[in-house]
Amino acid sequence: MTRTYNFSAGPSTIAESVLKQAQSELLEWSGCGASVMEISHRSKEFVAFAEQTEQRLRSLLKIPNNYQVLFLQGGATTQFAMVPMNLLGGKQSAAYCCTGAWSQKAINEAKLFCDVSIATDSATDQYLDIPEQESWVIDADAAYLHYTDNETIHGVEFDYIPDSKGLPLVSDMSSNMLSRPVDVSRFGVIYAGAQKNMGGAGITVVIVRDDLIGNVIPKTPSMLNYSMHAKQDSMLNTPPTWSWYILGLVLEWIEAQGGIEQLAINNQVKADKLYTTIDESDFYRNLVQPNARSRMNIPFLLTDSALESVFLEQAGKADLDGLKGHRAVGGLRASIYNAMPLAGINHLVDFMNEFERTHG
Ligand code: PMP
C-alpha cells in the first residue's frame, strides 16, 4: 500500500491515525457488536458520541453558551440558501463581500430570497486581493453581512475579522475552519463543510447565535430550519452517522496535536515554506497580494504553462497528488489543511526545486 501526499482541495487528506482508528473499529464499535454505520443514531452509544463531539468542538473553538452547534447535511452549498431563509427576518436585503468564486456562489443563491447589496467586490482585481475595509459600503438595512473567510479556489484568506457595523456577521469557513483560533462571539453564524479540515464529506457544521434562530421565512421546509434542527439536537431525520463519527475522531486528533493554537502555528510554518519557495523563484508565481494569501490553498503558476501537465505527471510519480488547479482558474494548487504534515510540504518543495532545476 502506498499512501501519497494528497494536496486535494476537498475531500482532502485525513490524518493517518484517524483512518487507522476508523479501520480498527469498522466492524465493531464501542462495544455495540456492530459497526457505527449499522446502529441507530438514537442508540445511547451514538447519542453519547454525538454529544461528546459537540463538546469537543465547543471547547476547541471556545464557543460561547449562547450559540447552537448544528451538524447538518447538504454541504456548505445548502447554507448558501439556509442563511437567508433563517436570517432575513422580514428584511428585504442582505450584504455580501465578493472575494472569489465561493462568495459569488453564495451571492447567487441569496438572490433567490432577497436583494443582495455588495459591500465589496474584488472581481476587477481578478480576486487577487481583499479590498481595504475603509472602501466597503455596508447597507445598514441589510439583515446580515456575509463573507467567505477563505476562498478555496482563488487562494485568498482574510487575516482579520471584518467589522460588520452592527449587522450579524456570517462567515463561510469551509476551507479554513479549525485552522486557527477564532473569536466566535464576533459572529452571528459560522458554517463549514467537513471535508477539508474536519473529516469526510457529508456533514456540515453550523454555529449560530441563539437570537438569530426561530424567525424563518414562510414555508421554509423543516430540514432547512435552524430552529427545528436545534430543538432536535441535529437529529431531525437520520443524520450521516459515519461522517459524524469521523468528525469526532478528527476533533480528538486535533486535541492530541495541541489544539487549534498549535495547528495555527504549524499551518503558518507550512504555508510560509511553500510561499518562500514560490517567491524566491522566477519559475513559479503566486499573484495574490501577500496580506490576502491563504494559508490553506496555495495556487501557483509556472512561467511556462505548457509545462503544467509534465509537472503534474512527474509529481504523481513522486507520490504528490491533487496539485491540479481548479478548472475555473487553471494552473496548480496545493491545499495544505491541518492534516498535511510538514514532511509533505518538504517533499513538495524538494520536488519543485528539482523540477525547476531540470526544466527551468
Ligand atoms: N464554500 C467554500 C469556501 C468551499 O470551498 C466549498 C467547497 N469546496 C463550498 C463552500 C461548498 O461546499 P459543499 O461542497 O460542501 O457544498
Side-chain angles (χ1 to χ4, degrees):
M1 181 188 74
T2 310
R3 275 182 58 78
T4 59
Y5 287 116
N6 171 12
F7 293 89
S8 294
S12 50
T13 196
I14 295 177
E16 203 165 294
S17 61
V18 167
L19 296 174
K20 283 193 168 143
Q21 186 172 346
Q23 182 185 42
S24 75
E25 297 178 339
L26 184 63
L27 297 184
E28 205 262 320
W29 177 73
S30 193
C32 291
S35 169
V36 66
M37 266 186 282
E38 299 173 299
I39 60 166
S40 168
H41 54 293
R42 304 204 188 276
S43 63
K44 69 174 181 344
E45 290 84 0
F46 192 81
V47 168
F49 184 84
E51 281 169 9
Q52 189 189 37
T53 299
E54 179 178 335
Q55 286 317 317
R56 282 190 200 284
L57 191 62
R58 282 187 179 276
S59 107
L60 283 168
L61 271 175
K62 302 186 175 61
I63 302 174
N65 287 337
N66 61 326
Y67 284 75
Q68 300 289 327
V69 179
L70 308 177
F71 298 88
L72 308 182
Q73 302 178 60
T77 303
T78 300
Q79 294 311 309
F80 294 165
M82 280 177 81
V83 165
M85 292 174 100
N86 285 268
L87 263 60
L88 277 173
K91 298 221 171 177
Q92 303 302 317
S93 72
Y96 278 74
C97 300
C98 187
T99 55
W102 288 106
S103 13
Q104 189 61 63
K105 283 185 196 266
I107 288 165
N108 290 344
E109 201 72 358
K111 281 182 179 166
L112 297 172
F113 303 97
C114 62
D115 296 332
V116 168
S117 98
I118 301 294
T120 187
D121 188 350
S122 54
T124 48
D125 298 330
Q126 282 89 48
Y127 299 125
L128 295 174
D129 199 4
I130 292 174
E132 291 289 327
Q133 264 203 101
E134 292 70 49
S135 67
W136 298 13
V137 180
I138 301 176
D139 171 7
D141 292 327
Y144 58 86
L145 174 70
H146 178 286
Y147 79 105
T148 308
D149 204 31
N150 184 69
E151 288 282 358
T152 322
I153 295 176
H154 288 91
V156 172
E157 184 177 25
F158 278 77
D159 65 355
Y160 61 91
I161 298 177
D163 175 0
S164 59
K165 307 282 180 206
L167 300 181
L169 185 60
V170 179
S171 186
D172 175 359
M173 294 196 186
S174 291
S175 47
N176 64 353
M177 183 79 156
L178 303 180
S179 70
R180 61 181 175 193
V182 51
D183 180 357
V184 175
S185 72
R186 298 271 307 272
F187 293 86
V189 178
I190 293 172
Y191 63 88
Q195 67 271 23
K196 297 157 199 312
N197 265 334
M198 296 189 289
I203 194 156
T204 307
V205 169
V206 179
I207 301 167
V208 52
R209 214 173 59 211
D210 284 339
D211 60 290
L212 296 173
I213 63 175
N215 199 9
V216 285
I217 59 173
K219 298 194 178 171
T220 296
S222 306
M223 280 298 283
L224 302 181
N225 185 330
Y226 289 148
S227 158
M228 300 285 281
H229 286 289
K231 278 185 199 138
Q232 301 278 334
D233 297 325
S234 304
M235 293 200 188
L236 190 55
N237 74 331
T238 314
T241 45
W242 175 256
S243 306
W244 202 330
Y245 159 74
I246 297 289
L247 167 56
L249 297 191
V250 170
L251 298 184
E252 211 178 323
W253 174 81
I254 292 178
E255 287 172 1
Q257 305 308 299
I260 304 180
E261 290 73 13
Q262 184 58 46
L263 287 178
I265 295 169
N266 302 353
N267 287 331
Q268 196 62 58
V269 169
K270 291 186 293 176
D272 286 348
K273 184 139 200 175
L274 197 43
Y275 281 118
T276 303
T277 303
I278 294 168
D279 290 344
E280 283 179 350
S281 99
D282 296 327
F283 188 74
Y284 301 106
R285 281 175 303 149
N286 170 287
L287 304 175
V288 178
Q289 288 301 308
N291 65 345
R293 281 175 161 183
S294 169
R295 301 157 308 122
M296 297 282 105
N297 310 96
I298 304 186
F300 57 100
L301 301 167
L302 295 178
T303 314
D304 176 3
S305 61
L307 282 173
E308 268 170 24
S309 53
V310 187
F311 180 99
L312 289 169
E313 191 195 324
Q314 294 193 5
K317 286 186 182 145
D319 289 338
L320 297 161
D321 279 332
L323 289 163
K324 196 170 168 32
H326 190 276
R327 59 193 182 283
V329 292
L332 303 159
R333 172 178 54 173
S335 295
I336 54 172
Y337 301 117
N338 287 341
M340 173 58 65
L342 182 60
I345 307 293
N346 289 336
H347 192 51
L348 174 60
V349 162
D350 289 347
F351 171 81
M352 287 169 70
N353 288 335
E354 180 62 13
F355 189 81
E356 177 175 357
R357 199 181 64 74
T358 48
H359 294 83

